[in-house]
Amino acid sequence: MDTSFLAFLAISAVVIATPGPDTALTIRNTMAGGRPAGLATALGVSVGQLVWAIATSLGLVAILLASEPVFHALRLIGAAYLIYLGVQSLRSAFTGASASSAGQRGHAAHALSPGKAFIQGVVNDLANPKMAVFFAGVLPQFASQGRGMLSHLILLGLVFSLLTFVWLALYASVIASAGTLLRSSRVRRSIDGIAGMALVGMGVRVATSER
């Protein structure tokens, strides 16, 4: 394990541990569907990152970044998706005020499914233009030049996505383990509200930020 790989791990750890749209979505979906939905979200995010890594190794991300209209469109799509998820969470926070304790059985019936959570995780990551910038700007610096560079880029992307899955899965497990406390009406509504505001805020930031 050479120093360049250790440096890559260090940078990856900082990026992954910094709260962002993927973290907010994992918390939101764990609250909406329990541990299975949280883990499915983490897996979806990781798959999305692996897609970015493969696209980077094939040069597709460089083409994306070189096209201002395409990058701008991706940024707006990503921002709109984050705001959409945030508004859903905020709506849950407000409408939860009318939910009775007897309605918890209804919540189980309408809980977020792992399949839907997985798709949201994939879309949330692929619609984030910051991931394109990160993979295009960071991965090539740690990959061997010349022959084998493509496989090295994919390997680094796989390592990054696995680290992300472990981190987000830990988030989901801790939140799910809190169980009864977080499922109480008041606490749940508070978390939905915080996650919703975070997602909307991140969506606005993505829409207004430069590369």
Side-chain angles (χ1 to χ4, degrees):
M1 188 178 295
D2 58 20
T3 55
S4 64
F5 184 66
L6 290 175
F8 172 75
L9 291 179
I11 293 175
S12 298
V14 172
V15 172
I16 292 169
T18 302
D22 295 333
T23 305
L25 181 65
T26 300
I27 294 173
R28 169 191 179 276
N29 286 357
T30 302
M31 292 298 301
R35 191 192 307 268
L39 294 178
T41 303
L43 181 61
V45 169
S46 299
V47 169
Q49 291 177 346
L50 188 57
V51 171
W52 277 123
I54 295 174
T56 299
S57 66
L58 297 176
L60 299 178
V61 173
I63 297 175
L64 168 66
L65 296 178
S67 175
E68 188 68 30
V70 175
F71 182 84
H72 183 64
L74 176 64
R75 184 175 63 183
L76 293 181
I77 291 172
Y81 186 69
L82 288 173
I83 293 174
Y84 165 74
L85 293 175
V87 170
Q88 282 191 324
S89 288
L90 290 174
R91 186 176 61 182
S92 297
F94 285 109
T95 58
S98 62
S100 64
S101 58
Q104 289 183 352
R105 290 196 303 269
H107 170 70
H110 297 287
L112 180 67
S113 68
K116 187 174 181 179
F118 173 80
I119 293 174
Q120 287 184 355
V122 174
V123 174
N124 191 67
D125 196 79
L126 291 181
N128 185 359
K130 297 298 183 182
M131 295 307 302
V133 175
F134 172 80
F135 278 103
V138 175
L139 260 63
Q141 298 183 37
F142 297 96
S144 301
Q145 302 298 316
R147 295 189 59 181
M149 183 176 181
L150 187 148
S151 60
H152 286 167
L153 286 172
I154 295 177
L155 179 60
L156 291 173
L158 179 60
V159 170
F160 186 87
S161 64
L162 287 175
L163 291 175
T164 298
F165 175 77
V166 171
W167 179 252
L168 294 180
L170 179 62
Y171 254 103
S173 297
V174 169
I175 293 171
S177 297
T180 305
L181 173 62
L182 295 184
R183 279 194 293 268
S184 69
S185 176
R186 181 173 298 179
V187 175
R188 177 184 173 81
R189 287 169 53 208
S190 297
I191 294 178
D192 280 339
I194 292 172
M197 288 187 293
L199 286 167
V200 170
M202 291 172 187
V204 173
R205 187 173 65 180
V206 168
T208 58
S209 65
E210 298 296 332
R211 298 194 187 195

